[in-house]
Amino acid sequence: MHRTAVKKVVLEGVLDANEALAQANREKFDQAGNYVINLMSSPGAGKTALLERTLERVRGRLRLGVLEGDVQTTLDADRLARFHIPLVQVNTESGFGGECHLDANMVRSGLGELPLSDIDVLVIENVGNLVCPAEFRVGEDTRVMVYSVTEGEEKPLKYPLMFRSADLVLVNKIDLLEHLDFDLELFIANLEAVNPGVSRMLVSARTGRGVDEWCSWMERRKPT
Amino acid sequence: MHELSIAESVVQIASRHANGRRVTKVWLKVGHLRQVVPSALGFGFELVAEGTPVEGAELELENVPAAGLCSNCGAKSQLGNFPLKCGACGGFDLELLSGEELFVESLELEEV
Ligand SMILES: [Zn+2]
């Protein structure tokens, strides 16, 4: 048998398939009138605690829904269940290599469980990871990153892809500042170096500092 | 790791375009700013390709350097590591011209 090789030009973006699904999600959100936040962080930055404080405050003012992407347990979702909000958890372990982030298809699979028309702001709580979620759009309006002061000042320089993609950075656990050797100015300078002019707020899920500001930020974006 | 997700997507794209033929080589363009670790991607590619028409194919990465146009002085320069800055004046306000590529450029297919 004679074999020959041919070269075929493809020019297809590695993320094109995900982008198309993200666009489809986007259309669903627009139809339902949702403002969608892709909430990202490293593990243990305090996303869920911050969401708890947020839900306590916006109750009655803003109809919040949460799509939760969690790897190991249902623990995070359990913590939010007491608020009786539209809440769905997406299993990220189904895809091979897909356990480190939510992609547009995983988000789509969870949307059927959510009453989108009863939601003003949908928070998509991404998997705690500083690399992978940055690559995958899920149909969000904005990307908010929760960063803990316990993570040190250098992370923006080590993970620029993620920090560059954020529209707002919530600098969390700010109450710990006096106990830590964390140079806030240096962190901000590093953040500015990869994402000039990015918005940021200093918050503490423990003391509640800055949570009102963050809630107002969300309320201003509630679709009318 | 994101290399594994990228590998998965590359194998899917290559399998689809192969139309039942065997893929012997894949050329992938990767922008410098994508922070892809070539060895991790190569490893992931081999793993994911198993049992597909792409199994055993060679993966050739072409690194695309990052380049930017400075809004301050108008110079075009190659960009290194973060913070990205103009090679001429040191300014940070840049329009990215390249460095964010991530696409399958072409495939080598076996015709029987
Ligand atoms: Zn310049």
Side-chain angles (χ1 to χ4, degrees):
Chain A
M1 202 169 9
H2 183 66
R3 290 175 192 278
T4 52
V6 292
K7 190 168 174 179
K8 179 179 178 182
V9 176
V10 172
L11 301 178
E12 184 170 331
V14 169
L15 300 169
D16 284 3
N18 185 70
E19 289 293 326
L21 288 169
Q23 188 53 40
N25 289 346
R26 180 69 264 156
E27 279 160 24
K28 269 190 202 158
F29 297 142
D30 284 341
Q31 255 170 19
N34 309 132
Y35 184 77
V36 181
I37 298 173
N38 186 351
L39 191 66
M40 312 187 292
S41 78
S42 57
K47 276 200 305 297
T48 307
L50 193 62
L51 268 179
E52 287 178 283
R53 296 295 87 73
T54 303
L55 285 163
E56 285 161 9
R57 278 187 173 62
V58 299
R59 205 178 245 178
R61 290 189 286 168
L62 196 66
R63 297 174 304 168
L64 214 71
V66 175
L67 186 148
E68 171 100 35
D70 205 350
V71 203
Q72 301 104 341
T73 62
T74 59
L75 214 65
D76 286 353
D78 288 347
R79 282 166 66 184
L80 299 179
R82 66 187 170 100
F83 293 99
H84 306 292
I85 53 157
L87 173 68
V88 66
Q89 185 172 358
V90 173
N91 176 17
T92 59
E93 278 174 317
S94 51
F96 178 49
E99 65 276 4
C100 50
H101 63 276
L102 282 171
D103 65 21
N105 192 39
M106 294 179 219
V107 166
R108 187 184 62 154
S109 74
L111 291 185
E113 309 292 320
L114 286 172
L116 290 182
S117 51
D118 297 335
I119 293 172
D120 297 318
V121 174
L122 176 65
V123 176
I124 297 178
E125 190 179 345
N126 218 312
V127 180
N129 183 310
L130 282 181
V131 182
C132 310
E135 306 263 26
F136 296 87
R137 295 245 156 226
V138 295
E140 70 270 39
D141 290 279
T142 193
R143 291 180 159 199
V144 176
M145 197 176 162
V146 180
Y147 189 77
S148 161
V149 296
T150 54
E151 298 180 74
E153 303 93 352
E154 303 301 321
K155 290 267 169 79
L157 302 178
K158 278 188 193 147
Y159 304 97
L161 216 56
M162 171 70 86
F163 285 88
R164 255 156 57 83
S165 82
D167 300 302
L168 168 66
V169 177
L170 301 173
V171 185
N172 192 21
K173 305 192 187 177
I174 203 75
D175 55 296
L176 296 179
L177 212 53
E178 55 189 292
H179 309 292
L180 292 171
D181 191 21
F182 177 82
D183 185 339
L184 185 61
E185 272 177 43
L186 178 58
F187 169 73
I188 302 255
N190 290 340
L191 183 60
E192 279 285 321
V194 298
N195 192 346
V198 62
S199 306
R200 62 231 169 204
M201 291 176 195
L202 305 181
V203 302
S204 165
R206 199 173 69 84
T207 68
R209 177 176 167 188
V211 177
D212 280 330
E213 190 191 352
W214 150 240
C215 290
S216 307
W217 185 93
M218 271 197 294
E219 280 179 74
R220 285 199 299 277
R221 279 154 185 84
K222 169 181 169 177
T224 45
Chain B
M1 289 297 99
H2 76 150
E3 281 82 2
L4 204 52
S5 315
I6 292 169
E8 209 173 25
S9 177
V10 169
V11 168
Q12 272 168 15
I13 291 169
S15 302
R16 181 157 36 79
H17 284 274
N19 253 329
R21 287 165 289 182
R22 214 168 76 79
V23 180
T24 47
K25 190 166 178 176
V26 177
W27 284 269
L28 184 71
K29 286 229 191 221
V30 183
H32 174 68
L33 300 176
R34 288 286 175 179
Q35 293 196 297
V36 167
V37 180
S39 58
L41 183 56
F43 173 75
F45 179 77
E46 239 176 77
L47 214 65
V48 180
E50 251 173 58
T52 78
V54 193
E55 182 167 343
E58 183 188 341
L59 178 65
E60 176 128 343
L61 302 187
E62 192 185 328
N63 181 54
V64 184
L69 181 67
C70 178
S71 330
N72 181 42
C73 75
K76 259 188 215 178
S77 54
Q78 188 154 326
L79 310 171
N81 290 327
F82 288 89
L84 302 178
K85 58 180 174 199
C86 169
C89 75
F92 291 108
D93 192 0
L94 300 159
E95 184 197 332
L96 274 183
L97 300 174
S98 68
E100 291 188 308
E101 295 78 1
L102 188 58
F103 62 92
V104 178
E105 205 260 326
S106 50
L107 305 174
E108 185 181 75
L109 303 167
E110 199 176 73
E111 301 273 16
V112 179

